[in-house]
């Protein structure tokens, strides 16, 4: 029986391995982690991450050919294929701080693999890493190998949160990079055989190591760039009276451009887009390509601009101050159908409003108070470390109140901000919300989910990203 072990039971390691176990009943899959609380949760009825369809997959395989364990060394030493799916945060200090990827967790995993291995292994990079990382990993493994053969493969993951199971069942492509030697090609074939259990072979792309590593960074950069492009247009739409949804629709009809990923928003969030672009920028700089680095840096700058612009719009339209005013925040996760808050635009928007002394009442169907307080107190980039190694927030922020209902959040509020596109926000009883709010009642829709005309008819002053502005907002221009 082929044995697979995955180091890192996170958003990637957990779902990917669960799907491999489901689709390959004859393979034994162990997912291991240094975080005891994560592994305990994976072995319980309350999984550590919320992902539609994940519960069913885990329930079908757990205890049969899918195991979650903290006994990292045992499972690594027994495995034929070891996936490494650990954190690769942005460095916060030292060389490359604020940009370069911190490979501490990766390196310690590699050293441990070398230490405990007694048989030949294929080691698979699943984490997103800088191009050429495989070379460094190869050096660590071979210098400590005691005669064991390690083949390194790059097999980056392209799943998106909220649709992870769907993406894993039916991926656009699976990418496997390896050495162009006979042993490297044999390792590629072994991993291809795993995916071929359910992925059509023409969707399994094989390449050299560096192309595979760089393709992952490139794909995320291209995706984020589309969002920054449409968000840049949204600012121009507001200034001219064009409607960003109509512009995006017209532009996306061009088959060369395509309709997906053109939704203007308060900004992109999530654990990877910013981190991976910063990483790309750093690699460009290290390779003497400052023009290329600056080109990609701009994608992040527009994203920051969009969040700042949103906060300024709120403050300026509410008579240039939100001090002491209750503002309801609907949605805190970085997108719908996930409880993940890593780099969510809600953090920057909330911090901006708190900076202007607002009182926030926050509701998100999947995010609890402890998480929100942690996020608002944590320093930039500190979130991307194993849970038990994250710095604890000193005290909770008193101006923030977290509630479990949109109506409670909006009661007596001066303004409502929609920061995540949860479906339930489309069907709220906005008349009831309006009746219970202070007047004039404002709605700032950072995800373009509400029907502006209906809300205006109720009496709200409505701001929707990239849409023609209310006269009220035109009279109170926001300077970014
Ligand atoms: N979240 C996502 O949607 C995607 C993430 N990625 C990449 O995958 C990698 C992992 O991301 P996530 O799963 O989101 O992170 P995560 O933080 O959810 O999971 C990483 C896990 O690795 C564990 N870990 C760290 N060092 C360890 C060690 N030495 N031994 C055992 N366990 C260790 C941590 O405790 C944590 O549970 C990152 O490089 C990320 O860029 C790639 C595609 C999608
Ligand atoms: O490397 C990763 O971590 C993953 O990053 C993204 O996936 P994810 O961050 O989970 O979610 P996305 O659907 O890409 O959304 C990212 C952010 O962009 C925002 N977004 C997305 C699309 C859009 O049109 N407009 C927009 O503002 C979302 O609301 C969210 O805040 C990529 O889509 C995945 O392919 C990739 O594997």
């Amino acid at each position: 029986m082929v044995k697979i072990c995955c180091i890192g039971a996170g958003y990637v390691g957990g779902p990917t391995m669960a799907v491999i176990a489901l689709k390959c009943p004859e393979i034994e899959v162990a997912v291991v982690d240094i975080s005891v609380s994560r592994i305990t949760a994976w072995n319980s009825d309350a999984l550590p991450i919320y992902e539609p369809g994940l519960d069913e997959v885990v329930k079908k395989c757990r205890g049969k050919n899918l195991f979650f364990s903290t006994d990292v060394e045992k499972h690594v030493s027994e495995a034929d294929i070891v996936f490494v799916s650990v954190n690769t945060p942005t460095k916060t200090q030292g060389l490359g701080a604020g940009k370069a990827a911190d490979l501490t967790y990766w390196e310690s995993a590699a050293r441990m693999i070398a230490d405990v291995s007694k048989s030949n292994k294929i080691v698979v990079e699943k984490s997103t890493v800088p191009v050429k990382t495989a070379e460094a990993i190869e050096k660590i493994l071979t210098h400590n190998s005691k005669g064991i053969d390690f083949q390194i493969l790059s097999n980056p993951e392209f799943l998106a949160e909220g649709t992870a199971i769907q993406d894993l069942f039916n991926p656009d492509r699976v990418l496997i990079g390896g050495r162009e030697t006979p042993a490297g090609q044999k390792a590629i074939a072994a991993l291809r055989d795993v995916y071929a259990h359910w992925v059509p072979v023409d969707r399994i792309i094989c390449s050299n190591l560096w192309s595979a590593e760089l393709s992952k960074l490139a794909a995320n950069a291209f995706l984020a760039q589309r969002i920054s492009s449409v968000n840049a247009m949204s600012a121009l739409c507001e200034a001219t009276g064009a409607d960003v949804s109509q512009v995006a629709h017209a532009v996306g009809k061009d088959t060369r451009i395509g309709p997906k990923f053109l939704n203007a928003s308060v900004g992109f969030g999530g654990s990877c887009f910013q981190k991976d672009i910063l990483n790309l920028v750093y690699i460009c700089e290290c390779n003497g390509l400052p023009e290329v680095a600056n080109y990609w840096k701009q994608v992040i700058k527009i994203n920051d601009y969009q969040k700042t612009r949103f906060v300024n719009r709120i403050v300026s339209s509410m008579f240039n101050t939100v001090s002491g005013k209750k503002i309801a925040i609907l949605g805190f996760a970085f997108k719908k159908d996930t409880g993940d808050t890593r780099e969510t635009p809600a953090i920057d928007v909330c911090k901006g409003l708190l900076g202007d002394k607002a009182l926030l009442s926050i509701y998100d169907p999947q995010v609890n108070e402890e998480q929100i307080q942690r996020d608002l107190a944590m320093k930039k980039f500190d979130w991307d470390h194993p849970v038990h190694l994250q710095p604890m927030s000193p005290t909770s922020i008193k101006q923030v109140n977290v509630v479990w209902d949109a109506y409670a959040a909006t009661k007596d509020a001066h303004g409502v901000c929609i920061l995540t596109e949860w479906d339930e926000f489309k069907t709220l009883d906005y008349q009831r919300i309006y009746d219970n709010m202070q007047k004039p009642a404002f709605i700032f829709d950072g995800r373009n989910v509400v029907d502006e005309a209906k809300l205006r008819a109720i009496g709200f002053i409505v701001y929707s990203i990239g849409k023609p502005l209310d006269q009220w907002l035109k009279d109170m221009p926001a300077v970014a």
Side-chain angles (χ1 to χ4, degrees), residues 6-15 32-35 38 42 49 72 84-89 104-106 108-110 112 126-129 156-161 216 220 271-272 275-276 334 340 342 383-390:
C6 176
I7 306 176
Y11 283 87
V12 170
V32 297
D33 204 292
I34 44 173
S35 162
R38 269 232 160 139
W42 279 112
I49 61 179
V72 181
V84 183
S85 183
V86 299
N87 319 62
T88 48
T104 314
Y105 302 109
W106 231 112
S108 86
M112 184 270 301
K126 198 56 160 162
S127 305
T128 303
V129 289
E157 184 49 59
F158 296 102
L159 68 79
E161 286 175 32
K216 173 63 194 175
N220 274 0
S271 61
C272 293
K275 161 173 86 77
D276 294 350
F334 83 98
D340 194 352
R342 296 179 292 178
W383 50 268
D384 200 2
H385 293 270
V387 184
H388 59 289
L389 301 177
Q390 284 169 9

Side-chain angles (χ1 to χ4, degrees), residues 246-304:
Q246 294 175 356
V247 173
H249 179 71
V251 170
K253 277 287 175 193
D254 186 322
T255 51
R256 293 168 303 175
I257 296 172
K260 293 184 184 166
F261 247 69
L262 286 178
N263 293 320
S265 66
V266 58
F268 61 73
S271 61
C272 293
F273 279 173
Q274 174 171 282
K275 161 173 86 77
D276 294 350
I277 293 175
L278 290 172
N279 184 352
L280 186 66
V281 165
Y282 184 68
I283 295 168
C284 293
E285 286 170 353
C286 291
N287 281 282
L289 302 168
E291 289 82 2
V292 186
N294 285 336
Y295 174 75
W296 289 111
K297 224 184 265 176
Q298 205 56 32
V299 172
I300 306 272
K301 282 195 182 164
I302 288 288
N303 201 46
D304 289 339

Side-chain angles (χ1 to χ4, degrees), residues 342-405:
R342 296 179 292 178
E343 286 295 340
T344 174
I347 295 176
D348 287 337
V349 171
C350 288
K351 282 186 175 170
L353 293 171
L354 288 167
D356 229 290
K357 300 204 183 122
L359 306 173
L360 304 183
S361 188
I362 306 178
Y363 164 66
D364 186 292
Q366 284 296 332
V367 188
N368 64 29
E369 176 158 14
E370 192 199 339
Q371 184 63 50
I372 290 173
Q373 286 287 1
R374 265 175 101 92
D375 288 335
L376 292 176
M378 217 180 289
K379 284 204 226 115
K380 207 168 165 60
F381 305 128
D382 273 354
W383 50 268
D384 200 2
H385 293 270
V387 184
H388 59 289
L389 301 177
Q390 284 169 9
M392 290 304 287
S393 48
T395 45
S396 59
I397 301 168
K398 285 196 289 295
Q399 297 87 333
V400 172
N401 180 28
V402 178
V403 294
W404 276 106
D405 171 43

